Amino acid sequence: MAAMTREETEALIQEVLEIYPEKAKKDRAKHLAVNDQGLEKSSKCITSNRKSLPGVMTIRGCAYAGSRGVVWGPVKDMIHISHGPVGCGQYSRAGRRNYYIGTTGINTFVTMDFTSDFQEKDIVFGGDKKLAKLIGEIETLFPLNKGITVQSECPIGLIGDDIEAVSKKAAKEIGKDVVPIRCEGFRGVSQSLGHHIANDSIRDWVLGKRDGDDSFETTPYDVAVIGDYNIGGDAWSSRTLLEEMGLRVVAQWSGDGTLSEMELTPKVKLNLVHCYRSINYITRHMEEKYGIPWIEYNFFGPTKIAESLRTIAAQFDDKIKEGAERVIERYKADYEAVIAKYRPRLEGKKVMLFVGGLRPRHTIGAYEDLGMEVIGTGYEFGHNDDYDRTLKEMGNATLLYDDVTSYEFEEFVKKMKPDLIGSGIKEKYVFQKMGIPFRQMHSWDYSGPYHGYDGFAIFARDMDMTLNNPCWKQIQAPWKKPAANAEDAQRAAGGL
Amino acid sequence: MPEVMFRKDHNDKLIFYVAKKDLEETIASLEFESPEKWGGEIVLSDGQRYYLEPLPAQPKLPITLRVKRV
């Protein structure tokens, strides 16, 4: 099928919206748009970061997910208490696959679940005493932890516990950082506010710790990798490229990151932002308070990697600029071999994405390097500025959908017939049962890393093994297939 | 009276950013931009107007300040 025209895409949106009641239709229409590369500002064509419509199936998470799961969770040497009932912590435990180095339960704690396990009496009488006791127990059982965060679940905000007071008192007693975070799930319209709250708590409780302390030896080439959560090892395959070009990575936020790395970040010369959505707040703060500039980069696919390495190098002297060219040259043979191998198998295939954070726009370059085309994309919890950055990346007249409902997504897929869908676990089996190849783009479908040149090879292999898997030919039941010829029909009937 | 962060982007354009409102817009014009007086009426490139009490000196950017809606 040739690419859809603007009119066809608009007609498709209207057709899909037809089923909604009048009011819902009006609301959802604002979140669906046809891309126009000519536009500078996305606010002219799409509305985002609004409350989901009651009654539709949304794919969003909550503020707790944004803070505990995304921003704070991967900080490996701290213990993150899910303060409240047991479910929130347990069902989100280790799901994001933030890889880290360390001995779990001794000096690192990422995949463990710590919870205050609220019961009825804690709701009635308050949970402050339980929290204080819990912090004491953690200190006894896991003495090598570097600090504790208290991640509030919904009931904490509802009953009005004073976690700040408990945290301050406990911090004095154990002599470590105890950070209270008011990330109750009901705050905001999606996990996005959780990111903001987590950023603010880092700003208020962590970042200023080393102000006025110059004992840390700096170099002119210090950078921090911000907003890389090391999913399947992503931050590692990014970090090697930066180090090869001559930079010194002082901190990783927050995949495989530590508390002391976070405290040292104000000493760096440049902040490199990968996931803009979840972490831009803190980089803006650091720019204002410490005068550290920040730039966004994209390490998906060789075209974007080369572009990003050069942009990063442009902030430094000639030594780094040469380093960037050297790195690009060094991996050239590798990625050209990957493209030569997989491009013929993937050329011209169409992809639809629906993910969060940065991937709906950042992965487009990687697909294009493999000759694939992204025909629709959207963010779970993106804001205007995410869509601003997406308009230029996407082709003209492609489809944009914000906070897409499961009904809309299914209808779009039925009509646009993509060859591959990239989204999350909640969508995976629906589309696989529809017979469409699917990759989870949150957890890389338990593969990865996908960042960097090394990651690109894995990305290409994964896309190929999903798309060209022979199982997709077996999806239709044999008795529903039209008989290819009379002989087959006879054989099926037991005649031969 | 929103809290606004003023910053220069990589093209050296002045940017008006309000985190809570998801508003990031270039500043089309600023009434006073001399070394001894900085502020006054702000016109954003999408036409919105704000007023910043003029500062006695050019501030070091980025900076967060309170502005009034006009």
Side-chain angles (χ1 to χ4, degrees), chain A residues 31 106 111 143 172 174 195 198 221 280 284 292 374 420 496:
Chain A
H31 295 264
I106 305 296
T111 51
K172 235 178 236 154
I174 65 174
H195 304 143
Y221 304 118
N280 78 80
R284 284 174 196 274
I292 304 167
V374 181
L420 176 74
L496 272 174

Side-chain angles (χ1 to χ4, degrees), chain A residues 164-217:
Chain A
E164 285 84 3
V166 180
S167 301
K168 272 184 193 153
K169 191 159 168 264
K172 235 178 236 154
E173 277 167 23
I174 65 174
K176 290 175 186 170
D177 287 343
V178 181
V179 183
I181 298 138
R182 287 280 177 190
C183 57
E184 288 89 352
F186 54 75
R187 290 184 200 272
V189 298
S190 64
Q191 53 265 64
S192 188
L193 190 70
H195 304 143
H196 199 155
I197 293 169
N199 276 244
D200 288 354
S201 66
I202 296 173
R203 177 195 68 196
D204 295 343
W205 296 81
V206 176
L207 222 53
K209 291 268 164 187
R210 302 276 303 251
D211 288 0
D213 167 10
D214 294 326
S215 59
F216 180 69
E217 277 178 38

Side-chain angles (χ1 to χ4, degrees), chain A residues 471-485 488-489 491-493:
Chain A
C471 76
W472 305 115
K473 295 194 188 83
Q474 315 293 327
I475 287 285
Q476 205 174 20
W479 59 89
K480 285 189 176 160
K481 272 186 194 156
N485 53 48
D488 278 353
R491 187 182 292 129

Side-chain angles (χ1 to χ4, degrees), chain A residues 9-20:
Chain A
T9 318
E10 269 162 12
L12 171 65
I13 293 177
Q14 286 314 316
E15 191 187 331
V16 168
L17 285 172
E18 210 44 55
I19 200 166
Y20 286 127

Side-chain angles (χ1 to χ4, degrees), chain A residues 41 43-44 48-49 196 276-277 280-281 284-285 287-291 294 382-385 388-389, chain B residues 4-8 10 15 17 19-26 45-46 60-65:
Chain A
K41 282 284 172 185
S43 49
K44 292 198 172 68
S48 53
N49 199 31
H196 199 155
Y276 168 83
R277 176 73 276 130
N280 78 80
Y281 317 100
R284 284 174 196 274
H285 168 74
E287 187 182 29
E288 184 176 355
K289 189 169 173 197
Y290 302 100
W294 53 279
H383 297 202
N384 289 336
D385 36 11
D388 288 347
R389 289 161 169 78
Chain B
V4 178
M5 183 184 274
F6 294 89
R7 63 185 287 263
K8 285 261 169 82
H10 53 273
I15 301 284
Y17 173 72
K20 276 196 179 152
K21 293 180 72 189
D22 248 348
L23 175 71
E24 189 170 24
E25 204 49 78
T26 48
S45 46
D46 67 348
K60 189 174 160 282
L61 297 174
I63 188 168
T64 305
L65 298 165

Side-chain angles (χ1 to χ4, degrees), chain B:
Chain B
M1 293 244 293
E3 290 240 329
V4 178
M5 183 184 274
F6 294 89
R7 63 185 287 263
K8 285 261 169 82
D9 71 356
H10 53 273
N11 298 324
D12 221 30
K13 279 200 183 119
L14 202 53
I15 301 284
F16 184 95
Y17 173 72
V18 190
K20 276 196 179 152
K21 293 180 72 189
D22 248 348
L23 175 71
E24 189 170 24
E25 204 49 78
T26 48
I27 293 177
S29 77
L30 186 65
E31 200 179 346
F32 308 110
E33 225 174 334
S34 59
E36 61 274 8
K37 199 175 186 192
W38 199 88
E41 190 165 293
I42 302 160
V43 184
L44 303 186
S45 46
D46 67 348
Q48 292 188 65
R49 285 161 179 276
Y50 290 89
Y51 179 78
L52 171 69
E53 203 55 50
L55 303 174
Q58 198 141 15
K60 189 174 160 282
L61 297 174
I63 188 168
T64 305
L65 298 165
R66 291 207 139 202
V67 300
K68 279 191 202 125
R69 203 186 299 266
V70 176

Side-chain angles (χ1 to χ4, degrees), chain A residues 269-451:
Chain A
K269 298 289 177 293
L270 179 67
N271 277 325
L272 304 173
V273 181
H274 205 243
C275 181
Y276 168 83
R277 176 73 276 130
S278 60
I279 211 97
N280 78 80
Y281 317 100
I282 198 77
T283 55
R284 284 174 196 274
H285 168 74
M286 280 194 258
E287 187 182 29
E288 184 176 355
K289 189 169 173 197
Y290 302 100
I292 304 167
W294 53 279
I295 51 169
E296 290 169 60
Y297 70 103
N298 176 358
F299 271 1
F300 286 102
T303 315
K304 291 288 172 190
I305 298 174
E307 221 173 81
S308 299
L309 287 177
R310 290 191 178 118
T311 332
I312 294 167
Q315 310 285 322
F316 293 94
D317 58 13
D318 286 344
K319 188 186 142 203
I320 303 295
K321 284 181 191 137
E322 278 159 31
E325 296 305 324
R326 198 176 59 236
V327 171
I328 296 166
E329 198 54 41
R330 188 186 148 200
Y331 287 95
K332 203 171 175 198
D334 288 354
Y335 71 74
E336 277 176 351
V338 170
I339 293 176
K341 182 173 176 190
Y342 292 107
R343 191 163 173 140
R345 298 170 63 83
L346 297 168
E347 184 91 50
K349 300 286 186 194
K350 297 194 297 290
V351 188
M352 277 173 89
L353 297 172
F354 182 69
V355 221
L358 57 105
R359 290 154 182 178
R361 67 172 176 275
H362 270 36
T363 52
I364 295 172
Y367 283 115
E368 283 173 353
D369 285 334
L370 292 169
M372 299 163 85
E373 186 196 354
V374 181
I375 56 169
T377 195
Y379 296 81
E380 268 177 46
F381 52 84
H383 297 202
N384 289 336
D385 36 11
D386 291 303
Y387 286 98
D388 288 347
R389 289 161 169 78
T390 314
L391 295 178
K392 299 282 176 234
E393 301 280 335
M394 288 289 282
N396 250 330
T398 49
L399 188 60
L400 296 176
Y401 30 81
D402 176 64
D403 184 26
V404 76
T405 68
S406 55
Y407 157 74
E408 287 161 14
F409 201 11
E410 278 166 41
E411 290 303 305
F412 286 143
V413 165
K414 279 180 201 159
K415 299 282 158 42
M416 298 178 78
K417 299 193 174 55
D419 300 292
L420 176 74
I421 300 173
S423 191
I425 186 72
K426 297 191 281 296
E427 294 76 52
K428 179 173 182 173
Y429 299 104
V430 175
F431 290 120
Q432 286 195 338
K433 284 174 185 174
M434 282 163 72
I436 301 165
F438 186 98
R439 287 298 299 184
Q440 283 184 63
M441 295 303 279
H442 293 274
S443 65
W444 305 145
D445 238 333
Y446 321 109
S447 176
Y450 283 180
H451 292 178

